[in-house]
Amino acid sequence: MASVVAKKEEEKKRESHKQSLLKEKKRLTINNVARKWDLQQRVANIATNPDRKDSDSPSQDPCQSDGSTISAFPEETGSLDSGLNNALLGLSVTDTYLVEVDGDTLSLYGSGALESLDRNWSVQTAGMVTTVSFTFIEFDEIVQVLPKLKMKFPNSLHLKFKETNLIMLQQFNALAQLRRIDQLTIDPQGNPVVNFTLWKYYVLFRLSHFSMQKINGTEVTQNDMIMAERLFGILAHVASSELPQYRMISILGDARKKQFRYLLETKGKKPGIVSEENNDNKRLVGENTNRATLNYTTREFYHEKLEEIKEKKKFCKMYIEDLVKEATEINMKNEALQKLWPQMFIELVRDAVIEIRNKNSYMKLCLQQITDQK
């Protein structure tokens, strides 16, 4: 019995030690992810505000990777930019992301963690996850994996964002492609959008089809929904009215395309006697259609589109220039011909008259040419 008890105690100690190691590794990884995120943000700030890099650069980085504070910008480096780049290169060889499933919560730290959505998750684990937390990840990168999130974790109802660079209201438009959201938590840290007074109302308006229950832990009331509609209803109407019909249809889903075509077909017809319920349905269809026009394009995709447009413009410009050049040359040749043609015609007639003036000589010459050809 003493031996059994001793073995159990030893197993408990090993398990406890293992858990301690895992917790420490998790802490170090999160600190490393936070450190890399902080360096990336500083590099981005320096790129956009080069004049402020000297005044905004602290001598040390507050994040810890091995239990002690490490200088992110050593004094020996010749410039701040090289110090940041060297620090980023040093971090690239260590753990820079973390994926953790704790109960019903999937936590993703660092942009590399988004690749985990490509894994073959078990049905039990995927069905168990109802909360997904994103930390130290650019929101534009998150937008690209939202379709995967919808497919891999169909029961996810609560999204959390911390240090994701949510900076404008338009970014919330991207969340409309998900299947359902009951709760949304936006941490003020690293998400300046929460400093906007009306950001919650915009979320409720744009994502009204989700019938959201809580935002940042606060219950959503009917008055909140009414206020959101009053504040931003006109915005969706203006946005949809400025788009041509083909653009409207292209951004709508299959179900909404039918509804939109129905609206176009009934537009202009004489109003008949319709029930109040049909009026409500038409009003709701219109609101959903209008909201769908409020979408979000990531910066990367936007820049790709700009490059594509530039290439098309360049090609069109070169093509038009070639056409103009060819048309100009043809016109110049035509003008030259018009100037020379009268004299050329006179010379042709004169040569022909001289040539056939002596009929016998001309006939002999023609016979000789025929003989030479044979």
Side-chain angles (χ1 to χ4, degrees):
M1 289 180 64
S3 176
V4 172
V5 171
K7 287 182 179 180
K8 288 184 178 180
E9 289 295 330
E10 186 65 25
E11 289 177 359
K12 287 183 179 179
K13 288 182 180 180
R14 283 200 297 266
E15 184 64 24
S16 177
H17 181 64
K18 180 181 178 181
Q19 294 298 325
S20 298
L21 289 177
L22 290 176
K23 288 181 179 179
E24 181 63 14
K25 183 178 180 180
K26 174 185 174 181
R27 185 186 70 83
L28 293 177
T29 302
I30 293 176
N31 283 341
N32 194 56
V33 173
R35 177 177 166 81
K36 183 177 181 180
W37 171 263
D38 183 65
L39 291 172
Q40 289 175 335
Q41 301 310 304
R42 294 178 188 275
V43 170
N45 291 335
I46 289 174
T48 55
N49 301 297
D51 296 335
R52 298 175 55 189
K53 66 181 181 180
D54 294 331
S55 60
D56 294 347
S57 58
S59 60
Q60 290 185 336
D61 180 27
C63 299
Q64 298 179 354
S65 61
D66 60 353
S68 60
T69 304
I70 299 177
S71 174
F73 317 114
E75 296 180 359
E76 291 81 2
T77 54
S79 67
L80 183 60
D81 293 345
S82 60
L84 288 171
N85 291 329
N86 291 336
L88 283 172
L89 291 174
L91 287 173
S92 63
V93 298
T94 59
D95 293 334
T96 55
Y97 70 91
L98 175 67
V99 180
E100 181 185 37
V101 178
D102 185 9
D104 62 351
T105 301
L106 171 65
S107 299
L108 304 175
Y109 298 87
S111 59
L114 297 177
E115 298 177 2
S116 65
L117 297 177
D118 294 325
R119 297 179 186 173
N120 293 323
W121 293 84
S122 66
V123 177
Q124 181 180 0
T125 302
M128 180 178 59
V129 172
T130 59
T131 301
V132 181
S133 175
F134 301 96
T135 309
F136 304 121
I137 308 175
E138 287 283 350
F139 185 80
D140 284 2
E141 296 184 29
I142 298 174
V143 171
Q144 299 176 16
V145 300
L146 288 180
K148 296 179 183 178
L149 180 67
K150 180 174 62 175
M151 294 176 57
K152 296 285 186 177
F153 302 97
N155 296 329
S156 57
L157 305 175
H158 184 188
L159 296 184
K160 295 182 178 181
F161 298 93
K162 181 179 180 180
E163 293 282 3
T164 57
N165 271 343
L166 273 165
I167 58 177
M168 54 186 176
L169 298 179
Q170 294 95 317
Q171 289 173 298
F172 290 115
N173 298 341
L175 301 180
Q177 60 184 298
L178 294 174
R179 181 176 286 107
R180 181 181 175 186
I181 302 177
D182 285 353
Q183 295 187 53
L184 184 66
T185 301
I186 310 296
D187 195 293
Q189 187 174 351
N191 295 309
V193 71
V194 299
N195 295 325
F196 298 154
T197 306
L198 304 178
W199 76 272
K200 292 183 181 179
Y201 293 112
Y202 184 81
V203 170
L204 292 175
F205 167 76
R206 183 60 186 89
L207 307 179
S208 61
H209 56 289
F210 290 145
S211 299
M212 205 171 297
Q213 299 175 5
K214 290 184 179 181
I215 296 182
N216 278 14
T218 303
E219 294 283 348
V220 175
T221 64
Q222 187 63 29
N223 290 335
D224 293 333
M225 299 298 298
I226 295 174
M227 180 59 70
E229 182 65 32
R230 288 178 178 174
L231 289 172
F232 296 102
I234 187 64
L235 174 64
H237 175 72
V238 172
S240 61
S241 62
E242 293 296 325
L243 288 178
Q245 293 181 4
Y246 76 93
R247 284 285 295 125
M248 287 279 289
I249 294 178
S250 66
I251 64 177
L252 299 177
D254 293 336
R256 292 181 183 175
K257 285 181 182 179
K258 296 180 181 179
Q259 297 173 345
F260 183 65
R261 288 194 181 100
Y262 169 76
L263 291 177
L264 292 179
E265 291 173 1
T266 56
K267 185 177 180 181
K269 292 184 178 181
K270 294 182 179 181
I273 301 176
V274 293
S275 63
E276 184 177 353
E277 181 180 357
N278 288 336
N279 283 331
D280 292 338
N281 290 335
K282 291 180 182 179
R283 179 177 56 84
L284 291 174
V285 168
E287 288 177 352
N288 291 335
T289 302
N290 292 343
R291 285 178 174 83
T293 61
L294 298 173
N295 50 19
Y296 174 65
T297 303
T298 62
R299 283 171 291 186
E300 182 179 355
F301 183 75
Y302 177 72
H303 291 315
E304 289 179 357
K305 279 294 182 183
L306 285 181
E307 290 298 324
E308 182 179 349
I309 292 173
K310 287 181 181 178
E311 290 297 327
K312 289 182 178 179
K313 286 184 177 180
K314 183 178 179 181
F315 171 78
C316 292
K317 183 179 179 181
M318 293 177 61
Y319 184 72
I320 295 298
E321 287 178 351
D322 291 340
L323 289 178
V324 171
K325 182 179 179 181
E326 184 178 356
T328 302
E329 291 177 353
I330 293 174
N331 185 62
M332 291 177 63
K333 291 179 180 179
N334 185 50
E335 290 180 353
L337 177 62
Q338 295 298 327
K339 292 179 180 179
L340 295 176
W341 177 246
Q343 184 63 29
M344 290 175 60
F345 182 77
I346 294 174
E347 293 178 357
L348 288 173
V349 172
R350 184 194 62 189
D351 294 341
V353 171
I354 294 174
E355 192 174 14
I356 65 174
R357 182 173 55 182
N358 189 335
K359 186 182 296 185
N360 293 329
S361 299
Y362 180 70
M363 293 174 62
K364 290 181 180 180
L365 178 62
C366 290
L367 290 172
Q368 185 62 37
Q369 290 177 351
I370 294 172
T371 303
D372 295 340
Q373 290 178 357
K374 293 181 178 181

